[in-house]
Amino acid sequence: MSVRLDTIRYGAEEIIFYEFEAITPAAFPPVSAGAHVDIGLPGGGLRQYSLITPLCSQRRYVIAVKREEHGRGGSRWLHDSARVGQMFDLSPPRNQFEVAPGTSPVLLLAGGIGITPIYSMYEHVRASGRPVHLHYWCRSEKHGLFLEALSDRSDVTVHYAASAEESAGQFAAVVREVSRQTEIYCCGPQGMLDHLERLGEELNAARRIHMERFQAAPAAAPSNDAFEVTLARSGAQVQVAPGQTILDALRDAGADVMYSCEQGLCGACEVKVLEGRPDHRDTVCSAEEHDRRGTMIICCSSSQSANLVLDI
């Protein structure tokens, strides 16, 4: 959908808020805490950013972008070149990071710009009356988002740390103290997520841990074996060559499939698996969670079986 960039405003050191408004009478699709959108940038690039749902409405979507000097260039372009009044294409919101319904306590962990989905989730869970505690690590007060809104909340702890090493002990202590009923959601730098993953294994808590990553996992070696994909809705069969992704094979065959980041990050190409054994290689969610949901991400994942039957 086409939108107009209506407002650019300072958020924190190296972080800027971008507010997009609808240009037609139609309302924006509703958003849920943890959702993100794809933003089309000049040159054809797509980037994914979390929506700050407490600031969004039927006519306005709001994101916050941290300038990443050594990233893929999207944040640098937005910081340096985007201007008010410019038109952009936004995808409908997608949510792979939604708080699961229930009554168990929720622990929210955010590092740096990872506060954007976590802040939305915090406000959502708090409003529902469910027990929640948010721990937010940032470098200093001038690097923190939403600090004024969070300052008088007894269920929020803000930690200031100049490095991951400095915060590692605090982080581990927080995770180790929670009850076995607590669901844990985390978004932050790669080191924080890797640390949480190790703690989850150590505490036998992996099933209760949910993460959203900004970076793709290191590329897995491509499959050395060819396999076949059957598209259940049409009955078409597509051969996937060694080293080829399922997505590329389907596009070559003219199949109409959704995709976006092509790095196993955004979840746009998640499909239902009806038969076969996928080889999960994405960072959208764990292999265990994919198996529970009966899904796979076709832009990077492969197959352990000679045939996969997909609900396409």
Side-chain angles (χ1 to χ4, degrees), residues 215-230:
Q215 298 176 323
S223 172
N224 291 323
D225 299 321
F227 58 95
E228 184 179 74
V229 171
T230 300

Side-chain angles (χ1 to χ4, degrees), residues 263-312:
Q263 297 183 89
L265 280 171
C266 73
C269 64
E270 184 174 29
V271 300
K272 285 280 185 185
V273 179
L274 303 179
E275 293 179 26
R277 288 182 292 115
D279 180 5
H280 300 292
R281 300 178 178 182
D282 63 280
T283 58
V284 174
C285 58
S286 67
E288 184 182 58
E289 189 167 350
H290 272 307
D291 290 341
R292 195 162 55 243
R293 292 155 53 163
T295 63
M296 70 178 298
I297 301 296
I298 61 173
C299 71
C300 62
S301 297
S302 186
S303 179
Q304 302 179 61
S305 55
N307 181 264
L308 288 173
V309 181
L310 305 180
D311 186 17
I312 298 175

Side-chain angles (χ1 to χ4, degrees), residues 18 49 65-69 73-80:
Y18 297 87
Y49 294 104
V65 178
K66 179 179 182 296
R67 182 187 173 92
E68 298 289 354
E69 195 61 41
S75 67
R76 291 199 304 277
W77 187 89
L78 284 166
H79 273 243
D80 298 345

Side-chain angles (χ1 to χ4, degrees), residues 108 118-126 150 153 155-156:
L108 300 172
I118 294 294
Y119 174 69
S120 301
M121 297 159 82
Y122 167 73
E123 294 289 9
H124 167 73
V125 175
R126 195 170 193 262
L150 298 174
R153 306 286 179 85
D155 49 11
V156 174

Side-chain angles (χ1 to χ4, degrees), residues 97 109-119 136 186-189 214:
F97 195 44
L109 306 171
I113 192 64
I115 188 64
T116 51
I118 294 294
Y119 174 69
Y136 174 26
C186 181
C187 186
F214 299 135

